[in-house]
Amino acid sequence: MAHLGENRYGKSRVRVMKVVRHDTHHEMKEWSVRVLLHGDFETCFTEGDNSRILPTDTMKNTVYWLARESNAGTLEEFAIELVQYLLGNNPQVSKATAEVEEKSWKQVFIDGQPHATTYTLTGPELQTTLVTLDRGGEPVVQGGIDGLVILKTTNSAFTGYLKDKLTTLPESTDRIFGTRATIEWDFSPGATNFAATRATALSTLLKVFADHDSLSVQHTLYDMGDAMLKALPDISQVKLTMPNLHCLLVDLSRFGQENPNQIFVPIDEPHGYIEAVITR
Amino acid sequence: MAHLGENRYGKSRVRVMKVVRHDTHHEMKEWSVRVLLHGDFETCFTEGDNSRILPTDTMKNTVYWLARESNAGTLEEFAIELVQYLLGNNPQVSKATAEVEEKSWKQVFIDGQPHATTYTLTGPELQTTLVTLDRGGEPVVQGGIDGLVILKTTNSAFTGYLKDKLTTLPESTDRIFGTRATIEWDFSPGATNFAATRATALSTLLKVFADHDSLSVQHTLYDMGDAMLKALPDISQVKLTMPNLHCLLVDLSRFGQENPNQIFVPIDEPHGYIEAVITR
Amino acid sequence: MAHLGENRYGKSRVRVMKVVRHDTHHEMKEWSVRVLLHGDFETCFTEGDNSRILPTDTMKNTVYWLARESNAGTLEEFAIELVQYLLGNNPQVSKATAEVEEKSWKQVFIDGQPHATTYTLTGPELQTTLVTLDRGGEPVVQGGIDGLVILKTTNSAFTGYLKDKLTTLPESTDRIFGTRATIEWDFSPGATNFAATRATALSTLLKVFADHDSLSVQHTLYDMGDAMLKALPDISQVKLTMPNLHCLLVDLSRFGQENPNQIFVPIDEPHGYIEAVITR
Amino acid sequence: MAHLGENRYGKSRVRVMKVVRHDTHHEMKEWSVRVLLHGDFETCFTEGDNSRILPTDTMKNTVYWLARESNAGTLEEFAIELVQYLLGNNPQVSKATAEVEEKSWKQVFIDGQPHATTYTLTGPELQTTLVTLDRGGEPVVQGGIDGLVILKTTNSAFTGYLKDKLTTLPESTDRIFGTRATIEWDFSPGATNFAATRATALSTLLKVFADHDSLSVQHTLYDMGDAMLKALPDISQVKLTMPNLHCLLVDLSRFGQENPNQIFVPIDEPHGYIEAVITR
């Protein structure tokens, strides 16, 4: 006989834009929210009993309603309020998670000044948060950046690796190093400086990436995480995922040309994939 | 001081097509492979020491080489051979995983007969496997289908759910039920009937989905999993993920029209999300 | 001083699903509609005068309203009704176009029979139409298929082409020939057999593709178009767009292996692109 | 009997990255190139005669070779050189077009300064060019920007439009105006100031978009084009395509809340679509 194992449900891709209209300028944020609930839902599965089911449509409405009620200044605070509301109003729920992604809208510069009410999308990356709340516990908060595309044209090598009968990769002392990085940092319990942490996290990881004499993706990834831990006392660990954006040196000798590290072919697939948690 | 926590690396989206040329017809399969390794890589992160690093480029070559060597008839068997090769040849590796996705190519029908050497892509879904091998252990094998898009136009209701101040969803006794289902089944140790299991898994879940008097997504999901466990003695559990493909009934009364469950607007976002493990 | 040149506006991606509920089974179709209008809109651009502007939101409502009113059995008929309605009710409009895309839903087979009310998505391709109506004229109707993914594992060669100092491609007498074909056929004025034409168009082009001894993409493309014109007296011409889905033979000699046309790497980019109109 | 009508062929998505290594900093550009040829290719279609066919693989090599040879500082210059080479070396070709897209890489700022060799992707938009060369003619050059995502939170109205029985859109005197704009400008014959034009085009259109008291998308689009023509004497016309990024005001009255233009739901579909050419 079958049994119900781990299960959860919720609403994904609840998009909401909030405009705060100050006299001198507007603040605009665009979020996509995902809510997931764990709890006592067994008879829904086994008998079709919906009496303990909060419809996912209502979760969507909850996001809209809370967007209006809330004064949250950061996506982390909004996500905390959301899981607190859901647990507080639904005794059948034992755990709630909220994920929020924020698009990279920034004010456009007109004649050298940021325009008060006009925005442009400035990158593929998303600012992210994931907040988990167990009944009776405190919110566990993670901040992050998803899909930050960065590339350096020098100070990256890859040599001294294992060779076997299937090795064809030539060693390189000066290669392109590109990645679509995803970074997730775990806040220590009680931390509240979400905005400052986000700003410092980005500036710190960019600086290490740019200046590092990289011997491998792993090598640079570790130093990025190490620097973030040093700069951010309120985080307990950071996870970095850095898939390669490979740029292959083109063999131009077939056409009688030299190629002194100038002409590359970027490829999307296949690609290397490296992830690691750096902890204290 | 920072420490290295959980980490892994490998190669993603290694695409390979294999054509087996029989006298009467060809067999063609297109796979995308992902390989990930765990092991003793700490000094690579902390010191830039690559001496224990198998380059991800070599993993790519390994997939090509093995595709030629192997007589694997299923993606599960290929993934098993791949992780066994990687562990067998790399003492620094403690665990390897291989994921393989197979595209839905099928022979085209010409004049009512399948053509011997011509194919068409027949759906968005992918046939999948995930195999994990710990050093000293046996391969742990999962089969699956990713992104099977199915929809029924009747025999789906959703009533009797919780109402609160934020509820706006009307109850429905006859709604559209669409989903982009992902299914993953865990084989019991030693199971080898991968192809037969895959075929029965699909036919079983489709039959339950089609015939079920659904009281909720959860209700149908559970009975799909229950039927799969009954039909497939070699699997220990199945995980079903069934996000909604919502189709909203259009309010045509604004135009003086009735809408007796005929005209709908399909939407991609937001969407409900339901996942559960059904186990023995 | 600036002048307004060619211009048009309308609504894109109006999605609608229609379910016709017969006693024995349901018919379900999912369409995405695009409407574009040409006409006397100059003062809207130059002065912000909206008095002759039909809002695109109303075009969306028109699609929903017409989906309920119409008995159109084909996407071509629906598109014709749509442009006729828009021109008939908007004297400021001089020309209207409607594009409709239909997703590849088909009834699922359960125990060898098509299920009366359950569907699955069976391919990436879309059935398409484009209808144009000038005021005072007759609808000009085009049918088509967008994104039909087909591949043959033999009977495709490419030899005898131009060589120059930049040539590196080896000739091949037996290569993989894959394409994501888009086909558009123009109906002669007054034609009405839209459904039969669509069915014959597909079976005809598949048969030629499968059986052709291809000397190039162009060679096969032409014979596909030629056969369509022969089989379909009501169409005046056909345009075929056949970008390559390249599958590159892997050089396995580096690993001491032969590769007798067995192991390939499919790539998405770069890719060859061939398009041509075949006319009578 | 069938005849060959309009036809062309070429290579798409030829990606190339060029790094120019100055002492103080690097210049890095990533392009995706598409080449299409028209010419005397009839017997290839009708007889499988490839003797006048330049393989698309060779076109790919030509892009790599030229990337190394060329000193072109702009994508327009590179595209011109490419079509000139192709026509100059292929007498069977009567017309060649080259499209180049450049990704939005910019130097990252570290401690307030642009880093000499490190880049980040700063937006979804692509810088584009399309150059056409007929044998015996001069290159016809178009510059452009594809997919510039911009949004203003005020100074946008839409009132006074046509109402009919299918109208449900309420008038708005203060709505969100978002668009994913594509802009293409035609250079007058002989123009060469491609880089300066590109910079002024962007700053001009952003300024008008930001400051405009918009009465409709058309109204703002026209003034953007008008200002570009005034600021750019070397362009003869500009085409603007401005699909809406709709942000719908949420009805919060159902939850007892006011919504004074604060909470919106962004949607991707359906969406309004407006395009126009502004000419002198």
Side-chain angles (χ1 to χ4, degrees):
Chain A
M1 190 186 159
H3 287 283
L4 179 65
E6 269 198 80
N7 66 91
R8 55 183 188 163
Y9 83 106
K11 200 76 166 184
S12 287
R13 288 162 63 179
V14 182
R15 295 174 64 182
V16 63
M17 175 179 286
K18 183 164 185 174
V19 179
V20 181
R21 297 171 184 272
H22 302 288
D23 285 350
T24 54
H25 69 286
H26 292 177
E27 286 177 82
M28 183 273 286
K29 287 184 177 160
E30 182 182 348
W31 290 342
S32 179
V33 181
R34 186 189 210 197
V35 175
L36 290 170
L37 304 183
H38 299 69
D40 176 14
F41 307 127
E42 180 152 1
T43 57
C44 177
F45 285 91
T46 57
E47 300 172 26
D49 165 21
N50 296 324
S51 63
R52 280 188 291 278
I53 296 296
L54 183 74
T56 68
D57 187 79
T58 305
M59 299 180 201
K60 175 194 73 177
N61 287 346
T62 305
V63 171
Y64 300 154
W65 170 84
L66 183 62
R68 179 72 179 99
E69 290 295 304
S70 171
N71 290 314
T74 62
L75 51 171
E76 289 89 347
E77 289 165 310
F78 184 79
I80 292 169
E81 293 177 12
L82 187 53
V83 294
Q84 287 176 331
Y85 178 87
L86 289 166
L87 271 187
N89 288 272
N90 288 280
Q92 79 283 12
V93 172
S94 59
K95 180 166 102 173
T97 65
E99 295 172 70
V100 186
E101 298 173 344
E102 182 177 314
K103 283 198 180 174
S104 295
W105 291 106
K106 296 221 180 93
Q107 287 171 280
V108 295
F109 274 67
I110 306 290
D111 299 332
Q113 298 297 323
H115 192 273
T117 58
T118 307
Y119 302 81
T120 189
L121 201 57
T122 62
E125 72 270 17
L126 300 168
Q127 305 300 317
T128 63
T129 191
L130 165 63
V131 173
T132 304
L133 181 57
D134 280 286
R135 186 166 294 284
E138 292 300 312
V140 176
V141 183
Q142 190 178 79
I145 303 171
D146 186 351
L148 179 70
V149 178
I150 46 180
L151 183 145
K152 55 193 290 182
T153 52
T154 191
N155 288 334
S156 169
F158 188 51
T159 65
Y161 43 77
L162 284 173
K163 279 85 177 179
D164 64 18
K165 69 175 183 187
L166 299 175
T167 306
T168 56
L169 183 76
E171 300 204 334
S172 173
T173 56
D174 193 8
R175 60 173 187 171
I176 304 278
F177 178 4
T179 185
R180 184 189 171 285
T182 293
I183 308 104
E184 299 157 283
W185 50 88
D186 291 1
F187 285 97
S188 302
T192 57
N193 55 347
F194 304 125
T197 297
R198 185 171 295 281
T200 302
L202 179 62
S203 62
T204 302
L205 72 89
L206 284 178
K207 187 173 169 63
V208 175
F209 178 77
D211 290 337
H212 200 245
D213 286 321
S214 174
L215 299 178
S216 69
V217 174
Q218 285 90 332
H219 186 218
T220 301
L221 181 158
Y222 184 82
D223 279 9
M224 289 164 70
D226 182 45
M228 289 177 67
L229 289 175
K230 287 191 176 109
L232 298 166
D234 284 346
I235 70 171
S236 57
Q237 65 175 29
V238 57
K239 178 178 178 182
L240 296 110
T241 306
M242 292 176 58
N244 288 110
L245 299 179
H246 292 297
C247 297
L248 310 180
L249 192 69
V250 184
D251 174 10
L252 295 175
S253 66
R254 302 172 298 173
F255 317 135
Q257 293 173 310
E258 291 180 308
N259 188 1
N261 236 1
Q262 292 208 3
I263 309 297
F264 301 85
V265 173
I267 62 168
D268 284 347
E269 56 185 21
H271 65 80
Y273 177 95
I274 293 94
E275 68 172 39
V277 173
I278 315 299
T279 187
R280 294 189 190 276
Chain B
M1 189 187 158
H3 288 283
L4 180 65
E6 268 198 82
N7 66 91
R8 55 183 188 164
Y9 84 106
K11 201 75 166 183
S12 288
R13 288 162 61 179
V14 182
R15 294 175 64 182
V16 63
M17 175 179 286
K18 183 163 185 174
V19 180
V20 181
R21 298 170 185 272
H22 302 287
D23 285 350
T24 54
H25 69 286
H26 292 177
E27 286 178 82
M28 183 273 286
K29 287 182 178 163
E30 182 183 348
W31 290 342
S32 180
V33 181
R34 185 188 210 196
V35 175
L36 289 170
L37 304 183
H38 298 70
D40 176 14
F41 307 126
E42 180 153 2
T43 57
C44 177
F45 286 92
T46 57
E47 300 172 26
D49 164 21
N50 296 324
S51 63
R52 279 188 291 278
I53 295 295
L54 183 74
T56 69
D57 188 78
T58 305
M59 298 180 202
K60 174 194 73 177
N61 288 345
T62 305
V63 171
Y64 300 154
W65 170 85
L66 183 62
R68 180 72 179 99
E69 289 294 301
S70 171
N71 290 314
T74 62
L75 51 171
E76 289 89 347
E77 290 166 309
F78 184 78
I80 291 170
E81 292 177 13
L82 187 52
V83 293
Q84 287 176 331
Y85 178 87
L86 288 165
L87 272 187
N89 287 273
N90 288 281
Q92 80 283 12
V93 172
S94 58
K95 181 167 102 172
T97 65
E99 295 172 70
V100 186
E101 298 174 342
E102 182 176 314
K103 284 200 180 174
S104 294
W105 291 106
K106 296 222 179 92
Q107 288 170 278
V108 296
F109 273 67
I110 307 290
D111 300 332
Q113 298 297 323
H115 192 274
T117 58
T118 307
Y119 302 81
T120 188
L121 201 56
T122 62
E125 72 269 17
L126 301 168
Q127 305 300 315
T128 63
T129 192
L130 166 62
V131 173
T132 304
L133 181 57
D134 281 285
R135 184 167 297 283
E138 291 300 312
V140 176
V141 182
Q142 191 178 77
I145 303 171
D146 186 350
L148 180 70
V149 178
I150 46 179
L151 182 145
K152 54 193 291 183
T153 52
T154 191
N155 287 334
S156 169
F158 188 50
T159 64
Y161 44 78
L162 284 173
K163 277 87 178 179
D164 65 18
K165 69 176 182 185
L166 298 175
T167 306
T168 56
L169 184 76
E171 300 204 334
S172 173
T173 55
D174 193 7
R175 61 173 188 171
I176 304 278
F177 177 3
T179 185
R180 185 190 173 285
T182 293
I183 308 102
E184 298 158 284
W185 51 88
D186 290 3
F187 285 97
S188 302
T192 57
N193 55 347
F194 305 126
T197 296
R198 185 171 294 280
T200 302
L202 179 61
S203 62
T204 302
L205 73 89
L206 284 178
K207 186 174 170 63
V208 175
F209 178 77
D211 291 338
H212 200 246
D213 287 320
S214 174
L215 299 176
S216 69
V217 174
Q218 286 89 332
H219 185 218
T220 301
L221 182 158
Y222 184 83
D223 279 9
M224 289 164 71
D226 182 46
M228 289 176 68
L229 290 175
K230 288 191 175 110
L232 298 166
D234 285 346
I235 70 171
S236 57
Q237 65 174 30
V238 57
K239 179 178 177 181
L240 296 110
T241 306
M242 292 174 61
N244 289 109
L245 300 180
H246 292 297
C247 298
L248 309 181
L249 192 69
V250 184
D251 175 9
L252 295 175
S253 66
R254 303 171 298 173
F255 316 134
Q257 294 173 312
E258 291 180 308
N259 188 0
N261 235 1
Q262 291 207 5
I263 308 299
F264 301 85
V265 173
I267 62 169
D268 284 347
E269 56 184 20
H271 65 80
Y273 177 95
I274 293 94
E275 68 171 40
V277 173
I278 315 299
T279 186
R280 293 191 190 275
Chain C
M1 189 188 159
H3 287 282
L4 180 65
E6 269 198 81
N7 66 91
R8 56 183 187 163
Y9 83 106
K11 200 76 167 184
S12 288
R13 288 164 60 181
V14 182
R15 294 175 63 182
V16 63
M17 175 179 286
K18 183 164 184 174
V19 179
V20 181
R21 297 171 184 272
H22 302 288
D23 284 351
T24 53
H25 69 288
H26 292 177
E27 287 177 81
M28 183 274 285
K29 287 182 178 162
E30 182 183 348
W31 289 343
S32 179
V33 181
R34 185 189 210 197
V35 175
L36 289 170
L37 304 183
H38 298 70
D40 176 15
F41 307 125
E42 180 152 2
T43 56
C44 177
F45 285 92
T46 57
E47 300 172 27
D49 166 21
N50 296 325
S51 63
R52 280 188 290 279
I53 295 296
L54 183 74
T56 68
D57 187 78
T58 305
M59 299 180 202
K60 175 194 72 178
N61 287 346
T62 304
V63 171
Y64 299 155
W65 170 84
L66 183 61
R68 179 71 180 99
E69 289 295 302
S70 171
N71 290 314
T74 63
L75 52 171
E76 290 89 347
E77 289 165 308
F78 184 78
I80 291 170
E81 293 178 12
L82 187 54
V83 293
Q84 287 175 331
Y85 178 87
L86 289 166
L87 271 187
N89 287 272
N90 288 281
Q92 79 283 12
V93 173
S94 59
K95 181 166 103 172
T97 65
E99 295 172 69
V100 186
E101 298 173 343
E102 181 176 315
K103 283 200 180 174
S104 294
W105 290 106
K106 296 222 179 92
Q107 289 171 278
V108 295
F109 273 66
I110 306 290
D111 299 332
Q113 299 297 322
H115 192 274
T117 57
T118 306
Y119 303 81
T120 189
L121 201 56
T122 62
E125 72 270 18
L126 301 168
Q127 306 300 315
T128 63
T129 192
L130 166 62
V131 174
T132 305
L133 181 58
D134 280 286
R135 185 167 297 282
E138 292 300 312
V140 175
V141 183
Q142 192 178 78
I145 304 171
D146 187 350
L148 180 70
V149 178
I150 46 181
L151 182 145
K152 55 193 291 184
T153 52
T154 191
N155 289 332
S156 169
F158 189 49
T159 64
Y161 44 77
L162 284 173
K163 278 86 178 179
D164 65 18
K165 70 175 181 185
L166 299 174
T167 306
T168 56
L169 183 75
E171 299 204 333
S172 173
T173 56
D174 193 8
R175 61 174 188 170
I176 304 278
F177 178 4
T179 184
R180 184 190 171 284
T182 293
I183 307 104
E184 298 157 284
W185 49 89
D186 291 1
F187 285 96
S188 302
T192 57
N193 55 346
F194 304 125
T197 297
R198 185 171 294 280
T200 302
L202 178 61
S203 62
T204 302
L205 73 89
L206 284 178
K207 186 174 169 63
V208 175
F209 178 78
D211 290 339
H212 201 246
D213 287 322
S214 174
L215 299 177
S216 68
V217 175
Q218 286 90 330
H219 186 219
T220 301
L221 181 158
Y222 184 83
D223 280 8
M224 289 164 70
D226 182 45
M228 289 176 69
L229 289 175
K230 288 193 175 107
L232 298 166
D234 284 346
I235 71 170
S236 57
Q237 65 174 30
V238 57
K239 179 177 178 182
L240 296 110
T241 305
M242 292 174 60
N244 289 110
L245 300 179
H246 292 297
C247 299
L248 308 180
L249 192 68
V250 184
D251 175 9
L252 295 175
S253 66
R254 303 171 297 173
F255 317 134
Q257 294 173 311
E258 291 180 308
N259 188 0
N261 236 0
Q262 292 207 4
I263 309 297
F264 301 85
V265 173
I267 62 169
D268 284 346
E269 56 184 20
H271 65 79
Y273 178 94
I274 293 94
E275 69 172 36
V277 173
I278 315 299
T279 186
R280 293 190 190 276
Chain D
M1 190 187 160
H3 287 283
L4 179 65
E6 270 198 80
N7 66 90
R8 55 183 187 165
Y9 83 106
K11 200 77 166 183
S12 288
R13 288 163 62 180
V14 182
R15 295 174 63 181
V16 63
M17 175 178 285
K18 184 163 184 173
V19 179
V20 181
R21 297 170 184 272
H22 302 288
D23 284 350
T24 54
H25 68 287
H26 292 177
E27 286 177 83
M28 183 274 285
K29 288 183 177 161
E30 183 182 347
W31 289 342
S32 179
V33 181
R34 185 189 209 196
V35 175
L36 290 169
L37 303 184
H38 298 70
D40 177 15
F41 307 126
E42 179 152 1
T43 56
C44 177
F45 285 91
T46 57
E47 300 172 26
D49 166 20
N50 296 324
S51 63
R52 281 187 291 279
I53 296 295
L54 183 74
T56 68
D57 188 78
T58 305
M59 299 180 202
K60 175 195 72 177
N61 287 345
T62 305
V63 170
Y64 300 153
W65 170 84
L66 183 61
R68 179 72 179 98
E69 290 295 303
S70 171
N71 290 314
T74 62
L75 52 170
E76 289 90 346
E77 290 166 308
F78 184 78
I80 292 170
E81 293 177 13
L82 187 53
V83 293
Q84 287 175 332
Y85 178 87
L86 288 166
L87 271 187
N89 288 273
N90 289 281
Q92 79 284 12
V93 173
S94 58
K95 181 166 103 172
T97 65
E99 296 172 71
V100 186
E101 298 173 343
E102 182 176 315
K103 284 198 181 176
S104 295
W105 290 106
K106 296 220 180 90
Q107 287 170 279
V108 295
F109 273 67
I110 306 291
D111 299 332
Q113 298 297 322
H115 191 274
T117 58
T118 307
Y119 302 82
T120 189
L121 201 56
T122 62
E125 72 270 17
L126 301 168
Q127 306 299 316
T128 63
T129 191
L130 166 62
V131 173
T132 304
L133 181 58
D134 281 287
R135 185 166 297 284
E138 292 299 313
V140 176
V141 182
Q142 192 177 77
I145 304 171
D146 186 352
L148 179 70
V149 178
I150 46 180
L151 182 145
K152 55 193 289 182
T153 52
T154 191
N155 288 333
S156 169
F158 188 49
T159 65
Y161 44 77
L162 283 173
K163 277 86 176 179
D164 65 18
K165 69 175 182 186
L166 299 175
T167 307
T168 55
L169 183 75
E171 300 204 333
S172 173
T173 55
D174 193 8
R175 61 173 187 170
I176 303 279
F177 178 5
T179 185
R180 184 190 172 284
T182 293
I183 308 104
E184 298 157 284
W185 50 90
D186 291 3
F187 284 97
S188 301
T192 56
N193 56 346
F194 305 125
T197 297
R198 186 172 292 281
T200 303
L202 179 62
S203 62
T204 302
L205 72 90
L206 284 178
K207 187 174 169 64
V208 175
F209 178 77
D211 291 337
H212 200 246
D213 287 322
S214 175
L215 300 177
S216 69
V217 174
Q218 286 89 331
H219 186 219
T220 301
L221 181 158
Y222 184 82
D223 280 9
M224 289 164 71
D226 182 46
M228 289 176 68
L229 289 175
K230 288 194 175 105
L232 298 165
D234 284 345
I235 71 170
S236 57
Q237 65 174 28
V238 57
K239 179 178 178 182
L240 296 111
T241 305
M242 293 175 58
N244 289 110
L245 299 179
H246 292 296
C247 298
L248 309 181
L249 192 69
V250 184
D251 176 10
L252 295 175
S253 67
R254 303 172 298 174
F255 316 135
Q257 294 173 310
E258 291 181 307
N259 188 0
N261 236 2
Q262 292 208 4
I263 308 298
F264 301 86
V265 173
I267 62 169
D268 284 347
E269 57 183 20
H271 65 80
Y273 177 93
I274 294 94
E275 68 172 38
V277 173
I278 315 298
T279 186
R280 293 190 190 274

